[in-house]
Amino acid sequence: MTMRQYATGMAWGEGPRWHDGALWLSDTLGARLWTDASGEWRSAGLDSPSNGLWFLPDGRLVGAMTHERRVGEWADGQWRSYVDLGGIAAGPLGDMIGDAQGNLYVDDVAFNAAAGEAPVPGRIILVRSDHSAAVAAEDVEFPNGLALIDGGRTLVVAQTAARCLTAFDVLADGTLGGRRTYADLAALVGPGAHPDGLWPAEHGVWVATTSAQAIVRAGEGEIHETVSTAPLLPIACCLRDDGALIATVADTHGAPLLDAVKSRTVTTSVVVITKNEQT
């Protein structure tokens, strides 16, 4: 595998998405939305940061607004209201993904780790295409990356605090059932594997493991492939149209991760990881 730098300038890059030949991502610490859709790597300043991003089936970009407990729709250079989750979300919002019907799954992290709040179990919220919302799963320990696999029949969530991936069956109405452990990353990768971003992969999901300094391709109960990002810490990932893996990676400049985040000394870049025969 070959890793090369794609872009710089972010404090903490989350939710990377490749769409129509361009990369989009949220800078949750810098409160900016970054993209090279114009042909240049540029950012738009935000009053409040977005986190997870997703493109709806009709091409509209929506974002989970970290501190506002709502999903926004990107239009005219700003996040306009798409759906208000103030009556259902218990805390900050995290990652977000969607299905072919326009339904969204959103992390309700339930506590603000960066502010030093005590951890409490989080949830996954289902936002249907008609803008109605309901809790789809509870008791998720720091819900983070989300991925739909098996043709949309399975949802996988990264439980960062539990250092594992958990899978759910996606039922016909979009609700979740059949909860089970998908991969125990503490056992399969090591105690430093605190999963963050996910992306669907062949026979499983790509997982950014942060402090384990690797992106792994995990199947149910096994690891198929490991890509080292050392000394950088992978935050989130997605695939480009040609199959290249795109990842946001953090440099803590020698400090412990949480200290670097709290002091805002952490910096993030984007890398492209390709097989040696790819260009």
Side-chain angles (χ1 to χ4, degrees), residues 79-260:
W79 288 115
R80 300 186 182 277
S81 181
Y82 180 77
V83 61
D84 184 358
L85 299 178
I88 191 170
L93 303 183
D95 198 16
M96 180 174 67
I97 58 169
D99 64 16
Q101 289 71 48
N103 299 314
L104 299 169
Y105 295 91
V106 188
D107 287 332
D108 175 8
V109 179
F111 74 100
N112 190 337
E117 293 181 4
V120 295
R123 305 180 296 175
I124 300 172
I125 297 174
L126 167 63
V127 177
R128 295 185 174 88
S129 57
D130 64 2
H131 295 201
S132 62
V135 175
E138 298 187 88
D139 296 321
V140 184
E141 293 188 50
F142 201 134
N144 214 319
L146 297 163
L148 285 168
I149 60 173
D150 301 332
R153 297 187 299 274
T154 303
L155 182 141
V156 180
V157 58
Q159 292 197 84
T160 300
R163 295 177 294 174
C164 71
L165 306 181
T166 298
F168 296 87
D169 296 327
V170 179
L171 306 181
D173 61 355
T175 57
L176 303 177
R179 179 174 180 157
R180 60 198 180 275
T181 297
Y182 188 80
D184 181 349
L185 296 178
L188 294 170
V189 178
H194 295 276
D196 194 331
L198 305 182
W199 196 258
E202 183 180 11
H203 306 305
V205 291
W206 286 108
V207 188
T209 65
T210 57
S211 297
Q213 299 181 354
I215 302 172
V216 301
R217 184 163 58 89
E220 193 152 3
E222 58 186 338
I223 300 298
H224 298 298
E225 188 174 2
T226 300
V227 180
S228 173
T229 60
L232 303 174
L233 285 64
I235 303 168
C237 57
C238 68
L239 290 180
R240 204 165 60 183
D241 292 341
D242 62 0
L245 184 63
I246 294 178
T248 55
V249 291
D251 187 346
T252 65
H253 307 284
L257 176 57
L258 288 181
D259 290 346

